Amino acid sequence: MHRRQLLTFILASTTLALPLGASAALVRDARLWRSSDKLRVVFDLSGPVQFKTFTLQAPDRLIVDVAGAQLSGDLSHLNLAGTSVRAIRSGPFGHGDTRIVFDLKAPMQASAFLLGPQSGQGHRLVLDLMQPGVAAAAPAVAARAPEPVAQEAEKPVASSNFHPKRDIVVVVDPGHGGKDPGAIGGKGEREKDVVLSIAQLLARRLKREKGYTVHLVRNDDFYVPLRKRVDFARQRNADMFISVHADAAPRLTASGASVFALSENGATSATARMMADRENGADLIGAASLLNLKDKDPMLANVIIDMSMNATIASSLELGHTVLGSLADITTLHQKRVEQAGFAVLKSPDVPSILVETGFISNASDAQRLVTARHQQAVADRLFAGINTYFEKHPPSGSFVAWAQEQKAQQTA
Ligand SMILES: [Zn+2]
């Protein structure tokens, strides 16, 4: 019951606007100022809020949690070029709260305070980011200066300034390999071979598209432990992780494609759980070991992981939904919605991740198609189309795709 409610909540938060309660505050927009010693981010609010900030290491992040508030604006327009912030992500978490995550290039220290309506400005949350050791502007200072934001000497960063135009980094993970053949078909078709071909074709397609960089976890027939696959994606600062598989089921008539996203709270169906158990296979990993939280209270560590995952799970579900819709053009679907299960290979708290079962190796007609170059190309093309659609809707800050959209918007404005 609890699982279903949570899933419903996550889906509702990503695909539909939640009905606004009378007390829900909105984070409407954000503005950015920078000087030699600090970066100031001002969030425009519909009313007063409660908030907290904290930092996480490996990788360095600053988290801003705004209680009982929803993000109604879009933060992707903020120009982060030349700042110590690599990207800003946001999403709903908990019961109607909003989490904003600053991905940092180096450890930073933060100070934050609220400002009430003044001089035509509404409620604001002001966040200052500084190098560690620099004296922070305390809320008391803000109280003495009646309008520190308006008096801020530095000019706002113009959006027409230099744009970094970085590539979107996609990590493609062909499942299994080497000693682990994965599922095996009636005529000896091997999952590890089929998925390597599809993954290579997907990588080739992504490389052709301007604005993408792609990394293959394996480009040959060798075994990679699950933990290594996750580390691989994080080390390359992946914007998304896609693990490519082909299914097997005792019921030989089972056929079609499915897409899975991580669930921290258990599988959405018995099938999803069974499949996760099978794909996890040889080596299971715990999410806690992925973050350097050993020095923290284990209970607290779990809470932090849970919370920082919720935003990513919501993104993964939307990504999965887009990819599933794209695959429907060329194959039947085994599951008509994105299933959730505890796949070890998807346990990267920072990176939206999906696992695609391209079809059933155990089904004679699926297997027959999956080994042909023509169908492998079609699957790769549809995976690409789904990924591209997702990123056109959610271009990461500072990416070429974001920049290209801004140019287009300016031309039509
Ligand atoms: Zn597999």
Side-chain angles (χ1 to χ4, degrees):
M1 265 308 121
H2 174 69
R3 282 204 297 266
R4 172 65 60 225
Q5 280 160 4
L6 182 82
L7 175 64
T8 308
F9 168 75
I10 292 169
L11 287 173
S13 322
T14 50
T15 56
L16 313 159
L18 281 175
L20 291 180
S23 60
L26 296 175
V27 181
R28 291 201 172 111
D29 201 358
R31 294 165 283 135
L32 206 82
W33 280 261
R34 58 183 154 174
S35 64
S36 52
D37 63 341
K38 74 177 177 216
L39 177 71
R40 169 165 288 184
V41 185
V42 181
F43 294 97
D44 291 308
L45 310 166
S46 66
V49 295
Q50 290 198 311
F51 71 94
K52 66 171 186 215
T53 65
F54 59 96
T55 54
L56 292 173
Q57 282 86 45
D60 287 304
R61 281 156 293 165
L62 167 72
I63 319 292
V64 182
D65 284 341
V66 190
Q70 290 175 27
L71 186 67
S72 67
D74 182 8
L75 304 182
S76 64
H77 67 87
L78 294 174
N79 185 346
L80 301 169
T83 72
S84 47
V85 180
R86 188 162 60 81
I88 301 177
R89 297 173 285 129
S90 56
F93 85 98
H95 298 283
D97 300 338
T98 286
R99 163 159 294 184
I100 300 163
V101 180
F102 291 74
D103 291 314
L104 306 173
K105 291 171 186 163
M108 299 290 282
Q109 113 188 12
S111 95
F113 52 91
L114 290 168
L115 288 172
Q118 225 164 18
S119 321
Q121 304 260 39
H123 289 271
R124 284 148 294 163
L125 169 60
V126 181
L127 177 74
D128 285 341
L129 284 157
M130 290 143 293
Q131 306 285 346
V134 176
V141 176
R144 263 184 275 125
E147 186 47 274
V149 174
Q151 285 172 5
E152 183 68 65
E154 301 98 26
K155 290 195 188 92
V157 177
S159 60
S160 57
N161 275 0
F162 168 75
H163 195 292
K165 286 179 267 188
R166 70 172 182 86
D167 280 354
I168 292 172
V169 179
V170 178
V171 167
V172 182
D173 171 40
H176 313 277
K179 67 180 183 186
D180 171 15
I184 295 180
K187 291 187 177 153
E189 302 93 339
R190 296 185 304 186
E191 176 181 359
K192 66 172 184 177
D193 301 329
V194 167
V195 298
L196 178 60
S197 300
I198 293 172
Q200 286 170 330
L201 291 167
L202 171 61
R204 201 174 300 164
R205 180 67 192 83
L206 280 160
K207 273 179 193 153
R208 276 216 314 272
E209 192 74 16
K210 190 158 169 52
Y212 286 96
T213 290
V214 58
H215 300 284
L216 277 164
V217 169
R218 65 177 180 95
N219 204 358
D220 209 339
D221 183 18
F222 55 85
Y223 178 72
V224 184
L226 293 175
R227 166 68 193 260
K228 282 258 165 60
R229 296 175 196 249
V230 178
D231 288 347
F232 182 95
R234 298 193 72 193
Q235 280 158 10
R236 280 153 190 82
N237 289 326
D239 290 294
M240 74 158 280
F241 177 86
I242 177 168
S243 193
V244 184
H245 289 257
D247 251 327
R251 190 169 58 87
L252 298 182
T253 50
S255 69
S258 6
V259 175
F260 293 80
L262 174 72
S263 163
E264 264 305 271
N265 297 275
T268 51
S269 71
T271 317
R273 189 177 304 115
M274 208 180 77
M275 222 168 287
D277 288 346
R278 184 167 55 73
E279 299 291 7
N280 288 341
D283 48 2
L284 283 161
I285 51 164
S289 64
L290 292 174
L291 295 178
N292 283 335
L293 293 165
K294 290 184 203 100
D295 53 338
K296 299 202 172 63
D297 178 66
M299 272 291 278
L300 177 70
N302 280 328
V303 169
I304 291 174
I305 290 165
D306 257 21
M307 291 194 307
S308 56
M309 274 186 165
N310 269 1
T312 314
I313 289 171
S315 307
S316 301
L317 281 171
E318 190 179 350
L319 172 65
H321 183 77
T322 311
V323 168
L324 192 64
S326 182
L327 281 172
D329 291 351
I330 54 145
T331 174
T332 56
L333 299 181
H334 184 63
Q335 307 280 356
K336 297 235 184 312
R337 55 167 198 177
V338 178
E339 291 284 303
Q340 286 191 286
F343 288 101
V345 76
L346 300 182
K347 282 188 179 171
S348 182
D350 302 317
V351 187
S353 308
I354 55 170
L355 187 148
V356 177
E357 298 280 5
T358 52
F360 280 79
I361 284 274
S362 55
N363 176 272
S365 84
D366 268 14
Q368 200 185 345
R369 286 200 328 149
L370 281 167
V371 295
T372 66
R374 184 195 166 96
H375 187 67
Q376 288 171 354
Q377 183 66 58
V379 172
D381 287 345
R382 295 325 295 161
L383 292 176
F384 166 77
I387 292 166
N388 196 40
T389 302
Y390 174 81
F391 280 118
E392 291 204 321
K393 212 170 150 201
H394 303 284
S397 304
S399 65
F400 171 82
V401 174
W403 175 82
Q405 287 187 0
E406 278 168 32
Q407 299 302 303
K408 213 189 255 176
Q410 278 171 17
Q411 280 164 16
T412 55

